[in-house]
Amino acid sequence: MSQPIKLAVLISGNGTTLQNLIDHIQAGKLCAEIVVVISSKPGAYGLVRAQRHGIPTHVVPRKAFADLTRFNEAINQILHSYAPDLIVLAGFLSLFQPAEPYRGKVMNIHPALIPAFCGKGYYGRRVHQAVLDYGVKISGCTVHFIDEHYDSGPIILQSAVPVKDDDTVETLAARVFQEECKLYPRAIQLYAEGKLRVEGRRVKICEDDADT
Ligand code: GAR
């Protein structure tokens, strides 16, 4: 059995994605340990979820920093003391700028099929409202490595769901979230097993290179 990968999870809100990761780890479906949760919002419910499971938490309020660089420096400083293998954005609403040791080691999940309905301002229910307003027939979710822009780094995995005629934001969000719950743990597990190879914008999944 390989060593669990050490995850740092960055949140801003409810922590539903965080909870999904906790549940997968507890069920033995994801070989990982969440070593720290950092929130950009003081009252984020995700902090409570983390504390319930004995996970160390830190708050770095975005509003306490005049500029993004200083805000990110504060986060990176905390990360250094936990030495995570991978940083996982889970409903984190600011632009995360990783320090040098973490470049290429930060994943995000977005509740739409990137490059549609993504970028600054597209988060949570706003994404699903935009999908319904536009009238597309398919939506879904995307796990990707981050780069210096919102929702724009190399794509690791995507999963599609139908948009139904009678969908509301809530029903569509629930259908997409069901897929998110499978996709993010899968992407993290692939990373942990060394099966992801980034070639420019393309992320190749190398099943053959893995230890068995
Ligand atoms: C998830 O659905 C995730 O895809 C989305 O936030 C939700 C988790 O937030 N992320 C984004 O929209 C990022 N652009 P929560 O943990 O606060 O419930």
Side-chain angles (χ1 to χ4, degrees), residues 13-17 90-92 108-111 122-124 127 151 177 180:
N14 194 11
T16 50
T17 296
F92 187 69
N108 181 42
I109 188 158
H110 182 73
Y122 280 95
Y123 60 87
V127 177
D151 304 325
F177 191 68
E180 290 186 48

